[in-house]
Amino acid sequence: MSLDIKVEFSGGLELLFSNQRQHSVTIPSIDPTTSEPTRLQYLINYLRDNLLKERLELFVENDTVRPGILVLVNDTDWELEGEGDYVLKDGDEIVFISTLHGYAGSTIIPGRSIAQ
Amino acid sequence: MAPRACALCENAKAMLKRPKTGQQICRECFFYVFETEVHNTITQSKLFQPGDRVAIGASGGKDSTVLAHVMKTLNERYNYGLELFLLSIDEGITGYRDDSLETVKRNQQQYDMPLKILSYDELYGWTMDAIVSQVGRKNNCTFCGVFRRQALDRGAAMLNVDHIVTGHNADDIAETVLMNIMRGDIARLGRCTAICTQGEDTIKRSKPFKYAYEKEIVMYAYFKKLDYFSTECIYSPDAYRGHARAFLKDLEAARPSAIIDIIHSGEAFEVREEVKATQRVQQTCKRCGYISSNELCKACTLLEGLERGMANAGISDRGRKQLELQGPAPENLRTIPLFKLPSGNPTVAIETTP
Ligand SMILES: [Zn+2]
Ligand SMILES: [Zn+2]
């Protein structure tokens, strides 16, 4: 059994994920590490380990998303859904919006090399 | 977790936890309370008079896009009687400002407001791209900050507006309070929490989002599907500010009221008049007529340094002395057009949508 989850990054975060805002991921419905239904925390770890291209510290901190990144579960503030403990359902849409700075100036902006 | 009902209407599904109050509210109630709080900020601080001409400093980013939307909504809902304009500064940064200006142009149509774009190139004869290619990435933010401040005033004067509003939010102000404390800049600390600033010879500026949390601004833009641009300036990295912001976000995660608490702390400092007065007496720049604390304003000094190939002249006292050793400015030096405060009619044609 697996879950198809739609993931969206914005606010600059997409630059860490191949400069692509929308991703579809398929993850197991039972978390192999806990043998329990898969929670949002598993997805965050999965994104970090599989989709994140660089600068880990701009996405996660202390095993959760970095403060200043808003997370929405099917358009609802994840703070109302139990944050990382939210149990994922097939077809869920998870949106990560950064309100932080510091994404620019790294080397990952395609086609925007600036002569020094 | 079972969906919870909104704490305000007790009917619709709660979709957001307000950082300021911890209240869990639905989308429609959120729009209403967010807009009403901004309205209260505006009325309590008596920011506007009926008939005022107000320019919204528009960068295409989330804060100014939400500000334009909310200003338009409130102006209509409460009959403020304001004439609203969008004012954008084009710093001339390829791949950043050219893209974000496209967003502002769409905002112009979406909000049906006149738009004026003023570029560094037309005002100073230098784009930021050209400045960076001469000065490198070390001091370019100094140039950009000084040039932008003056460009906004000049754009406002061209539009003949009484007032500029900017999208600075509560997080920005709390961050500035922290930075002023960390730098020991007590004079600025005394001023940075003011919602409205007006020197005698400058155009009034204010921050209607002074008490609006960034989280709520982002959620507002998201729920309303507002069109904004989120790429950052490619030249920006202000590492110190970045650390202050990250620190603030850590505090907010531990206790959401931290942001408003820091603003209140900033407001509660009583800065003695003689400390505040470290700002020198203001005069008029002898070269361009802009308000200045020296004979030459900062922008004219920076521009002269650029033009004479001694970019440090406007950055450090040593650079300034080196420039002076080279003799007076040549007659044919490029200068900034004479600044006049708004009076009478707009001095420029406002760009209309093609
Ligand atoms: Zn409600
Ligand atoms: Zn000047």
Side-chain angles (χ1 to χ4, degrees):
Chain A
M1 274 288 286
S2 61
L3 305 172
D4 288 323
I5 309 288
K6 289 197 190 96
V7 178
E8 188 180 314
F9 300 104
S10 67
L13 262 184
E14 64 277 16
L15 296 173
L16 307 184
F17 292 88
S18 318
N19 202 15
Q20 187 186 327
R21 291 172 71 107
Q22 270 145 3
H23 299 255
S24 294
V25 300
T26 304
I27 52 175
S29 58
I30 298 295
D31 181 341
T33 60
T34 61
S35 310
E36 284 178 12
T38 302
R39 296 175 185 270
L40 184 45
Q41 183 59 48
Y42 178 88
L43 177 70
I44 292 168
N45 296 344
Y46 178 90
L47 296 172
R48 177 196 64 199
D49 298 339
N50 294 280
L51 287 186
L52 186 69
K53 291 298 176 204
E54 52 191 294
R55 306 196 61 192
L56 180 90
E57 73 285 1
L58 294 182
F59 181 57
V60 287
E61 184 180 303
N62 300 329
D63 277 334
T64 183
V65 295
R66 198 176 164 207
I69 295 175
L70 305 182
V71 187
L72 300 175
V73 176
N74 302 318
D75 272 0
T76 296
D77 187 353
W78 79 327
E79 292 184 46
L80 302 184
E81 300 284 359
E83 305 190 7
D85 289 337
Y86 170 78
V87 176
L88 290 164
K89 299 187 304 294
D90 191 46
D92 275 348
E93 290 185 29
I94 311 295
V95 177
F96 298 88
I97 310 174
S98 177
T99 66
L100 293 161
H101 306 263
Y103 299 101
S106 63
T107 53
I108 46 181
I109 307 174
R112 293 199 185 146
S113 59
I114 295 297
Q116 283 284 353
Chain B
M1 282 167 82
R4 249 186 252 199
C6 169
L8 295 175
C9 65
E10 299 178 347
N11 182 25
K13 177 180 181 276
M15 296 189 71
L16 167 101
K17 184 171 172 189
R18 297 202 73 197
K20 244 187 261 188
T21 60
Q23 262 178 338
Q24 309 192 353
I25 58 178
C26 74
R27 198 187 308 225
E28 289 306 315
C29 289
F30 166 60
F31 293 149
Y32 183 77
V33 292
F34 181 84
E35 290 158 2
T36 304
E37 284 183 4
V38 177
H39 171 65
N40 292 342
T41 304
I42 288 171
T43 51
Q44 280 159 17
S45 309
K46 300 190 176 64
L47 289 187
F48 310 117
Q49 299 287 324
D52 275 357
R53 294 164 62 90
V54 178
I56 300 162
S59 65
K62 60 181 167 36
D63 300 301
S64 63
T65 301
V66 174
L67 181 64
H69 183 91
V70 170
M71 285 298 297
K72 183 181 169 65
T73 303
L74 296 178
N75 193 32
E76 287 166 5
R77 183 180 300 159
Y78 297 103
N79 294 312
Y80 289 167
L82 305 179
E83 241 183 293
L84 298 173
F85 301 84
L86 294 170
L87 172 58
S88 285
I89 305 304
D90 179 359
E91 298 94 342
I93 303 176
T94 310
Y96 166 68
R97 188 52 88 208
D98 45 356
D99 291 353
S100 57
L101 283 174
E102 290 308 311
T103 312
V104 178
K105 287 177 190 163
R106 286 195 301 275
N107 290 162
Q108 170 191 16
Q109 291 174 302
Q110 289 152 354
Y111 303 145
D112 191 26
M113 284 179 204
L115 164 67
K116 167 69 192 161
I117 299 173
L118 181 60
S119 72
Y120 283 7
D121 197 17
E122 70 181 281
L123 195 53
Y124 308 111
W126 287 79
T127 62
M128 274 311 291
D129 287 342
I131 292 172
V132 170
S133 71
Q134 177 163 338
V135 310
R137 296 234 195 162
K138 189 146 175 281
N139 292 312
N140 65 80
C141 291
T142 305
F143 284 85
C144 200
V146 170
F147 282 0
R148 186 184 305 103
R149 177 157 194 94
Q150 191 168 136
L152 263 181
D153 274 342
R154 287 168 175 276
M158 288 171 180
L159 285 170
N160 193 32
V161 299
D162 308 289
H163 203 138
I164 304 169
V165 290
T166 58
H168 293 97
N169 60 42
D171 297 54
D172 297 328
I173 295 169
E175 177 186 290
T176 306
V177 169
L178 287 177
M179 288 179 65
N180 285 332
I181 291 174
M182 293 187 293
R183 288 192 293 227
D185 193 339
I186 306 305
R188 277 209 180 77
L189 177 63
R191 299 192 294 265
C192 72
T193 54
I195 186 165
C196 180
T197 50
Q198 182 170 36
E200 279 161 34
D201 292 318
T202 52
I203 294 162
K204 202 166 161 186
R205 280 186 195 223
S206 57
K207 305 172 185 132
F209 283 169
K210 178 181 172 187
Y211 297 113
Y213 270 57
E214 184 163 63
K215 173 180 173 182
E216 296 201 346
I217 291 171
V218 173
M219 294 295 276
Y220 189 96
Y222 181 80
F223 286 149
K224 290 264 184 195
K225 300 201 173 2
L226 300 185
D227 183 5
Y228 72 88
F229 182 80
S230 61
T231 301
E232 260 182 275
C233 173
I234 47 180
Y235 299 134
S236 84
D238 179 347
Y240 201 62
R241 186 169 279 279
H243 289 308
R245 172 63 54 130
F247 174 60
L248 187 68
K249 289 290 163 187
D250 287 343
L251 292 179
E252 185 191 12
R255 197 177 63 197
S257 68
I259 287 170
I260 226 75
D261 295 342
I262 290 170
I263 296 178
H264 286 156
S265 302
E267 289 170 334
F269 278 103
E270 292 233 7
V271 179
R272 287 205 315 271
E273 283 307 316
E274 60 264 39
V275 174
K276 275 190 199 156
T278 50
Q279 252 194 324
R280 271 188 273 172
V281 184
Q282 301 287 292
Q283 46 183 309
T284 301
C285 171
K286 68 170 186 192
R287 194 171 288 164
C288 78
Y290 188 73
I291 175 109
S292 171
S293 46
N294 291 300
E295 265 200 343
L296 275 190
C297 75
K298 195 90 180 138
C300 281
T301 312
L302 289 171
L303 181 60
E304 183 178 341
L306 284 172
E307 289 287 329
R308 295 175 68 184
M310 302 179 68
N312 268 334
I315 304 284
S316 65
D317 287 343
R318 205 168 127 253
R320 178 80 223 163
K321 287 199 184 95
Q322 281 171 344
L323 186 80
E324 278 160 6
L325 284 176
Q326 303 287 313
E331 285 288 309
N332 60 352
L333 183 80
R334 181 199 294 277
T335 56
I336 311 170
L338 199 66
F339 178 69
K340 284 196 220 72
L341 273 172
S343 58
N345 295 316
T347 54
V348 285
I350 294 161
E351 282 148 58
T352 47
T353 318

